[in-house]
Amino acid sequence: MAKICMTHGWHDDNKGDSAILMGTIDFLDQLIDAEQGRSDVSGAGVAKAEGHRIDILPIDDQVFATERGPFRHIRRRYRERVTVGQPLMPPMRDKLRFVTSLLGLGAKMMFGKQGKSGNDIIDAADLVVVKGGHIFHNGSFKKTLSSWLALIGYLAPVMLARKAGKRVLLLGHSFGPFKTPAQERFFLRTLSDCLVVSREEITHAMTQKADPKLPHALLGTDMAFAMAPRASDEHAAVKAPNGVASPYAVITLRDWWGLDHQAFAERVEVLSRSLLESRERLGIERLLVVPHVLGPTDIENDQRISQLVFDHLQKALVSAGGEDLATRIELVQGDPSPDALVDLYRDAEFLVGTRFHSVIFALMSGTPVYALSYCGPKAPGIMRDFGLGDSVQDIENFDPARIVADIEQLVADKAFPALAEKVIAEKLAVTADITRDFLRRAPGRAGVWGQRELKLNDAAFPAAVAPKPAAADAVSTDAPAGDNSATAAHDSEPVVRGA
């Protein structure tokens, strides 16, 4: 059983970050064989703690100061396998602790092991994995000094892991923007001995222009796609009110710095009205407003903006004589797990997602999806991977009519679920091949790679195989002796992830 340290963990209130952690754990469980046999990530195997040992180091102790405990869904899903340590660097707002930790980091880098806790976890790990997502950026800082300190704080686990000679994986990341070109160069050079897998082309292009060029920088995918969804009945009453199934669509909303709430609510009102007025063509009866993220910070809590927009919708529709439409809009409450949200979005007819990982959860299930982009390249980049580059608009000035027209086309495209399944399978296969290749390489300059050999599973995440032409299906069923029956089964009918 390998000991894996996962750094930059974030709170379970953010369902996307939680899914990234889950997907990375499931990915590594399949990719790296446990000593007692390969884990069964889809069932009881993981629940019985038969996978690898995972130590999570949070990015910020701010995640502990909330009503709901951090990593609660992670702990519940993986039981005794997961432990949570203390963050290596405190938040910058705690100036004294931050400076003290910064001095400790300098001592560690210059003189070797200093201190306890997170340092010991990294020193004892067989593998250090930096949780994916949009972590590394500091372009919003007003002062250059503050931006440098923030960048070094973000990079602290990577620097310590490199100092300890550990293999470091950055899986499924988006980078930037950075405050200055010098900071971007410093950041990329710090990753020179690491495997860097970008989740979209814009970030990948940044790694390719590094000087010197990063030797292990390649294009992969967001690690939430690797999550093996589990059955959930958390939303049974929502999906089938009074025990009767009722087709629905989902819209996820989020707040954003500088967002004009009134203008945003009015655009969502026009969009919601148009979707419900087109419900017969779209095959829906209801529209669910889902707070996808519950915190842990105020700007990250979707409940407030969802409630604000929901109240606006109810009032506006009723006052305009649309009482029937108002009853068809519902606000979903609760603290669902990522598995439960995948289940809810899977059974939706389509999803309009502001929250980026609500879009990913829909794509995982082959659900038609339209994205409202709010930060950086992640939404446009990944939607482009699925041939949906035109199905993205900016959160602050989106055109509702364009969304409705595009949704109608997406719902009518019956080939989309199989296409989404194929794209995800191919991207996970590429990411797995990249990771296996990196882990099999000779020791790095620190000279201590390979102190524990990791047994890799070559059968994990096979490349997707294109369906056979129709004419081939009519050929005799007598397969050649060398035919792979598993591949033949995959070819017959693609299965939507999460179904």
Side-chain angles (χ1 to χ4, degrees), residues 12-348:
D12 272 359
D13 278 355
N14 190 309
K15 309 304 179 180
D17 280 295
S18 185
I20 290 174
L21 276 172
M22 291 179 177
T24 306
I25 294 172
D26 290 350
F27 176 80
L28 294 172
D29 275 338
Q30 292 193 62
L31 195 71
I32 305 173
D33 286 339
E35 293 176 355
Q36 66 270 43
R38 184 179 171 196
S39 303
D40 175 13
V41 300
S42 62
V46 169
K48 293 180 180 178
E50 294 181 357
H52 301 292
R53 183 74 183 180
I54 308 293
D55 292 305
I56 298 175
L57 295 182
I59 191 174
D60 188 337
D61 55 9
Q62 168 177 303
V63 303
F64 293 100
T66 59
E67 295 179 4
R68 292 175 291 270
F71 309 110
R72 58 195 179 279
H73 294 300
I74 300 287
R75 292 178 189 271
R76 190 177 304 126
R77 201 178 201 255
Y78 300 105
R79 309 298 174 91
E80 296 84 2
R81 300 178 51 198
V82 172
T83 60
V84 179
Q86 293 294 321
L88 294 178
M89 298 291 291
M92 284 182 60
R93 63 182 176 276
D94 191 340
K95 295 181 176 58
L96 180 59
R97 287 178 58 215
F98 185 84
V99 171
T100 302
S101 298
L102 200 62
L103 294 174
L105 174 63
K108 167 77 174 180
M109 297 301 296
M110 293 180 63
F111 305 114
K113 185 174 181 179
Q114 300 287 331
K116 299 291 183 181
S117 187
N119 290 356
D120 287 346
I121 291 175
I122 288 177
D123 288 339
D126 299 311
L127 188 65
V128 176
V129 181
V130 180
K131 183 198 73 69
H134 195 199
I135 298 167
F136 297 108
H137 59 90
N138 65 354
S140 61
F141 282 82
K142 295 181 179 179
K143 297 181 180 179
T144 301
L145 177 60
S146 299
S147 65
W148 270 110
L149 294 176
L151 181 59
I152 292 172
Y154 293 151
L155 284 171
V158 178
M159 297 165 71
L160 290 174
R162 288 187 59 197
K163 177 68 176 180
K166 302 300 177 180
R167 289 169 283 201
V168 181
L169 311 181
L170 287 88
L171 299 175
H173 282 261
S174 293
F175 301 146
F178 295 98
K179 181 72 173 177
T180 68
Q183 291 174 353
E184 181 179 315
R185 290 194 297 271
F186 171 77
F187 168 72
L188 292 173
R189 290 192 180 200
T190 304
L191 306 183
S192 60
D193 290 339
C194 309
L195 172 64
V196 182
V197 178
S198 303
R199 62 180 178 177
E200 33 70 25
E201 293 179 355
I202 299 174
T203 293
H204 180 56
M206 179 189 298
T207 67
Q208 296 306 292
K209 70 176 184 180
D211 182 23
K213 185 176 179 180
L214 298 183
H216 311 300
L218 295 146
L219 179 62
T221 191
D222 188 286
M223 293 311 296
F225 283 120
M227 188 180 84
R230 302 184 184 182
S232 170
D233 60 0
E234 292 183 45
H235 290 115
V238 174
K239 293 191 290 185
N242 302 316
V244 180
S246 178
Y248 59 89
V250 170
I251 182 168
T252 64
L253 309 172
R254 72 150 298 162
D255 202 351
W256 190 242
W257 286 270
L259 182 66
D260 184 332
H261 291 172
Q262 182 62 31
F264 181 62
E266 290 173 356
R267 282 195 296 272
V268 175
E269 175 198 339
V270 175
L271 172 62
S272 302
R273 184 193 300 270
S274 300
L275 290 173
L276 290 173
E277 288 175 347
S278 305
R279 59 185 180 275
E280 291 187 6
R281 294 196 303 275
L282 297 174
I284 63 172
E285 294 180 14
R286 301 175 293 143
L287 183 63
L288 308 184
V289 179
V290 179
H292 184 87
V293 171
L294 309 182
T297 61
D298 287 341
I299 195 69
E300 290 293 310
N301 192 339
D302 298 345
Q303 292 172 314
R304 182 176 55 184
I305 188 70
S306 297
Q307 185 72 59
L308 183 151
V309 172
F310 177 77
D311 291 343
H312 175 88
L313 290 173
Q314 295 294 301
K315 183 178 179 180
L317 291 173
V318 170
S319 64
E323 291 86 352
D324 177 59
L325 296 185
T327 63
R328 295 178 181 274
I329 299 177
E330 303 168 32
L331 179 62
V332 178
Q333 307 284 0
D335 173 31
S337 66
D339 289 303
L341 287 175
V342 171
D343 176 74
L344 180 66
Y345 302 161
R346 179 195 66 219
D347 289 343

Side-chain angles (χ1 to χ4, degrees), residues 249-253 268 271 275 287-290 345 348-355 358-359 362 367-372 391 398 403-404 407:
V250 170
I251 182 168
T252 64
L253 309 172
V268 175
L271 172 62
L275 290 173
L287 183 63
L288 308 184
V289 179
V290 179
Y345 302 161
E349 300 303 315
F350 61 86
L351 179 143
V352 179
T354 307
R355 273 299 178 182
S358 71
V359 172
T367 299
V369 63
Y370 199 101
L372 299 180
S391 300
F398 63 87
I403 295 177
V404 175
I407 286 289

Side-chain angles (χ1 to χ4, degrees), residues 286-484:
R286 301 175 293 143
L287 183 63
L288 308 184
V289 179
V290 179
H292 184 87
V293 171
L294 309 182
T297 61
D298 287 341
I299 195 69
E300 290 293 310
N301 192 339
D302 298 345
Q303 292 172 314
R304 182 176 55 184
I305 188 70
S306 297
Q307 185 72 59
L308 183 151
V309 172
F310 177 77
D311 291 343
H312 175 88
L313 290 173
Q314 295 294 301
K315 183 178 179 180
L317 291 173
V318 170
S319 64
E323 291 86 352
D324 177 59
L325 296 185
T327 63
R328 295 178 181 274
I329 299 177
E330 303 168 32
L331 179 62
V332 178
Q333 307 284 0
D335 173 31
S337 66
D339 289 303
L341 287 175
V342 171
D343 176 74
L344 180 66
Y345 302 161
R346 179 195 66 219
D347 289 343
E349 300 303 315
F350 61 86
L351 179 143
V352 179
T354 307
R355 273 299 178 182
F356 176 61
H357 276 86
S358 71
V359 172
I360 284 185
F361 288 2
L363 291 170
M364 288 168 62
S365 306
T367 299
V369 63
Y370 199 101
L372 299 180
S373 177
Y374 58 88
C375 180
K378 52 188 181 182
I382 291 187
M383 289 290 280
R384 192 182 304 131
D385 291 340
F386 288 83
L388 300 175
D390 293 332
S391 300
V392 183
Q393 292 191 61
D394 186 79
I395 184 176
E396 296 194 57
N397 55 11
F398 63 87
D399 177 8
R402 179 181 151 196
I403 295 177
V404 175
D406 201 12
I407 286 289
E408 288 191 20
Q409 294 183 25
L410 290 172
V411 170
D413 183 5
K414 302 305 181 184
F416 177 74
L419 170 64
E421 169 72 9
K422 183 174 182 292
V423 171
I424 292 171
E426 289 174 346
K427 289 208 164 278
L428 287 176
V430 168
T431 304
D433 287 343
I434 293 168
T435 307
R436 274 191 292 257
D437 180 66
F438 179 78
L439 294 177
R440 286 185 172 127
R441 288 181 179 272
R445 65 180 181 180
V448 295
W449 285 14
Q451 52 189 307
R452 173 187 172 89
E453 181 180 356
L454 299 175
K455 299 178 181 179
L456 305 181
N457 178 14
D458 289 318
F461 301 102
V465 179
K468 297 175 182 178
D473 294 338
V475 178
S476 170
T477 55
D478 295 330
D483 251 17
N484 186 322

